[in-house]
Amino acid sequence: MYDPAALTGAGLVVVTINCRVGVEGFAFLDDAPPNCGFLDQVAALQWVRGNIAAFGGDPDQVTVAGQSAGAGSVAALLAMKSARGLFRRAIAHSVPGLHSTPAPARQVTAALAHRLGVAAPTAAALRDIDPWRLAAGLTAFNAELHAHRESWGRLTETGTALCPVVDGEVLPETPWSALAGGRASGIELLVGHTRDEFRLFSVMGGRRGTFTEQDARAALELLAPQPHGAEAYRAVFPQAGPEELVETVYSDALFRMPSQKLAEANAAADGTSYLFELCWTAPVLGGALGACHSLDVPLAFGTLDSPVGAQLVGDDPAPEAVTLSDEIKGAWIRFVTTGDAGWAACRPDRWLTRVLDAESETLPYPEHASRRIWENYSIAPFDLS
């Protein structure tokens, strides 16, 4: 899915990096630096800065790009002092609003360490555990987060126990607050999300079509902006049943609003933001996936024939899928090369968005109803309930 051949064939120099994730990358340990995954990324960017010219690249024209957790990394790099000057542009698809304050991060790590059978939440205690056991233990722990809802609140609705920690040093604050507060500089940013972000998780998890009013109430209570977000969602979407409410608030809270607000904050910090929403429906499973999370990746890389690409667009991609892939891939290449995505940048008085579909258009932001609900709220890190 991430084969960069189509991008390198257009003249780009592509560097794919490895970094620590999961327990190794984001556990909040007593005897190790926080956010080791981000430290790995900064080290990789420093290597690029010093070495990319030997591969035909320009160290002054570096673009960082990521999707989902990778987009969260891209956003975090905007707020990290150690990353300043290491890149010029950024591409972020489906930015997650997943950050934690130290208090829940410390509790989560301690609970996970206990589950793994170690005496203390330290790197020294975890070092001898087989990496596959660490990963399996974290996966099982993630599946049981709801048991901790009273203590950890919103975090338990994400399915991700370990997330970046706003520790004050490696990550001094969230990217939204850093940009909005003038403590980070805006850059050239290509950012967006899919229309039906949460659909991938509901379909693949077997929950599509089963959500109840109790599920909707819990999702609104924990994920809608407080204190009046739950009422606002019901008022703005009066005809929505439990299924639509769950899907809308999860899509908004986890990806759509963090992405849109990053575009907004970057523009306010004198950056240039190009916003998009993918609205093309994946044709597999009778269209049940909609324009789901991750559908944009094989489209952007031009890897429709990859195993994941085939799972999303089918074994024989329709001409419109190929055309759409060419458009997104072309936008990436143009943006990396020139800083211009090919459509109008966002302005405070006009939030234009490239709506990517079989026939793409540049229109006012499609999720304006959700944007109004979240307008006066920031993307805040998780804290103890």
Side-chain angles (χ1 to χ4, degrees):
M1 181 166 66
Y2 299 102
D3 182 350
L7 301 175
T8 58
L12 302 187
V13 178
V14 179
V15 178
T16 301
I17 70 166
N18 290 320
C19 66
R20 285 169 285 184
V21 296
V23 178
E24 295 96 335
F26 294 100
F28 199 63
L29 303 170
D30 294 340
D31 58 342
N35 298 310
C36 288
F38 290 159
L39 296 177
D40 293 344
Q41 293 167 33
V42 171
L45 285 170
Q46 290 170 338
W47 181 92
V48 168
R49 181 78 182 169
N51 295 278
I52 202 62
F55 296 86
D58 184 343
D60 294 320
Q61 295 285 339
V62 173
T63 299
V64 291
Q67 182 264 350
S68 196
S73 293
V74 168
L77 289 168
L78 297 176
M80 293 170 58
K81 296 177 182 177
S82 58
R84 289 178 187 169
L86 296 178
F87 60 95
R88 179 171 178 174
R89 302 182 179 107
I91 299 173
H93 286 216
S94 300
V95 182
L98 304 180
H99 294 82
S100 177
T101 60
R106 187 172 286 109
Q107 285 194 11
V108 166
T109 301
L112 177 59
H114 177 75
R115 180 188 180 90
L116 292 168
V118 299
T122 64
L126 294 169
R127 189 171 293 128
D128 294 332
I129 297 180
D130 180 81
W132 289 107
R133 185 179 162 222
L134 281 180
L138 178 57
T139 299
F141 188 69
N142 286 338
E144 300 170 356
L145 282 178
H146 283 165
H148 301 275
R149 182 176 288 172
E150 289 189 8
S151 298
W152 300 341
R154 289 186 299 133
L155 173 64
T156 63
E157 293 300 301
T158 67
T160 305
L162 297 178
C163 54
V165 182
V166 181
D167 64 287
E169 296 181 15
V170 176
L171 184 61
E173 57 184 318
T174 69
W176 302 275
S177 64
L179 288 164
R183 292 174 296 279
S185 300
I187 62 168
E188 292 164 341
L189 174 68
L190 171 56
V191 60
H193 54 76
T194 70
R195 182 189 60 206
D196 308 309
E197 288 280 3
F198 186 63
R199 189 77 60 82
L200 178 72
F201 307 101
S202 64
V203 170
M204 303 311 287
R207 292 299 313 276
R208 177 77 175 155
T210 71
F211 290 111
T212 65
E213 175 58 29
Q214 183 177 354
D215 294 322
R217 192 180 308 117
L220 290 168
E221 178 184 331
L222 287 169
L223 295 177
Q226 299 301 317
H228 305 299
E231 294 87 345
Y233 269 98
R234 293 190 185 275
V236 170
F237 301 101
Q239 304 303 316
E243 189 84 19
E244 183 179 348
L245 283 171
V246 168
E247 181 166 303
T248 300
V249 72
Y250 266 96
S251 293
D252 283 346
L254 297 185
F255 299 108
R256 296 197 309 199
M257 293 303 102
S259 300
Q260 187 276 326
K261 282 183 172 289
L262 189 67
E264 196 172 73
N266 181 67
D270 297 324
T272 303
S273 298
Y274 297 94
L275 186 62
F276 73 84
E277 178 175 87
L278 177 63
C279 291
W280 184 71
T281 295
V284 298
L285 301 179
L289 289 172
C292 66
H293 188 71
S294 295
L295 177 60
D296 46 336
V297 177
L299 291 169
F301 278 85
T303 52
L304 303 182
D305 59 349
S306 67
V308 174
Q311 288 176 355
L312 292 170
V313 304
D315 293 325
D316 186 18
E320 67 181 39
V322 177
T323 299
L324 180 57
S325 176
D326 288 343
E327 178 183 357
I328 300 174
K329 184 167 75 255
W332 270 41
I333 294 165
R334 185 185 305 111
F335 178 76
V336 169
T337 305
T338 69
D340 183 350
W343 59 86
C346 299
R347 300 201 314 256
D349 61 333
R350 198 177 186 201
W351 279 97
L352 292 177
T353 305
R354 188 64 175 170
V355 178
L356 299 165
D357 208 332
E359 295 183 5
S360 299
E361 299 179 88
T362 302
L363 301 168
Y365 183 55
E367 309 307 332
H368 55 87
S370 293
R371 181 174 178 242
R372 286 202 306 271
I373 294 172
W374 287 78
E375 191 169 20
N376 296 316
Y377 298 91
S378 61
I379 305 298
F382 304 126
D383 208 343
L384 295 176
S385 296

